[in-house]
Amino acid sequence: MEIFEELRLQVFDKNRWNDKVFFVFGYEAGLGKSRKVQQFLAEVEDKSLYVQKFEKDGELDTTVERMNSLAGKRVAERFAGDDTKSKKARKKAIEAKVLCITHKMYSQICKGLHKDLIEGA
C-alpha cells in the first residue's frame, strides 16, 4: 500500500469527511505530505479549503501556483491579509475550487468572519 493511501482516502472518500474534526497524519517530516495533499486537492472535484501557517515570503502564492500547475488549470486561489480589502479577490476566492488561506484567516472564519468564503466547501 502506498505510504499516503490513508491521506488519499481522506481527501477523496466523502464518507470520511467530518467538518467537526481535524484529522492528523503522523507521517515523518519531509516526506512530502503537503505536496501530496496539494496534488490530491488539485484533482478532487469538490470545493475544498487548504490552510497553511504563513503567507510570508510568497509561500501562499507558491502553494496556489503549485496546485494550479498540478491540475493543469486554474483551480486554486488565495485569500489572506490585504485580500480582505479587495472585492475582486473575494469574488475569486468564493468561486475557487480550492481556496488557500492562512491559519490567521482560518481563525477569523472560525470567529464568524468571511463565512461566504467557505460556503459549499
Side-chain angles (χ1 to χ4, degrees):
M1 181 186 324
E2 180 187 334
I3 186 169
F4 295 120
E5 182 63 16
E6 281 295 316
L7 191 55
R8 187 187 71 71
L9 288 171
Q10 185 61 49
V11 172
F12 288 101
D13 183 355
K14 290 182 182 183
N15 293 321
R16 293 174 177 244
W17 296 0
N18 184 334
D19 64 352
K20 306 285 186 247
V21 176
F22 279 101
F23 294 92
V24 177
F25 295 87
Y27 300 124
E28 186 177 326
L31 285 180
K33 17 178 210 307
S34 293
R35 288 180 188 256
K36 202 60 155 169
V37 167
Q38 292 166 6
Q39 176 187 345
F40 293 154
L41 291 177
E43 295 170 6
V44 76
E45 292 299 318
D46 297 281
K47 193 171 182 178
S48 56
L49 184 66
Y50 183 84
V51 181
Q52 72 180 44
K53 192 162 184 149
F54 297 115
E55 175 186 15
K56 70 177 185 177
D57 299 328
E59 289 181 35
L60 198 59
D61 294 325
T62 299
T63 296
V64 168
E65 290 168 15
R66 185 179 307 113
M67 284 188 188
N68 290 332
S69 176
L70 289 166
K73 61 184 177 181
R74 191 108 191 141
V75 296
E77 294 291 343
R78 57 162 280 138
F79 196 82
D82 287 340
D83 296 330
T84 60
K85 300 172 187 171
S86 167
K87 288 182 182 180
K88 183 179 178 181
R90 180 173 296 279
K91 183 178 185 313
K92 287 170 109 177
I94 290 169
E95 293 172 353
K97 188 171 85 68
V98 181
L99 180 58
C100 301
I101 63 173
T102 62
H103 282 205
K104 184 176 180 179
M105 181 59 63
Y106 181 74
S107 175
Q108 290 179 7
I109 290 170
C110 290
K111 291 176 183 174
L113 303 171
H114 314 296
K115 286 284 192 184
D116 56 332
L117 298 176
I118 62 168
E119 201 166 304

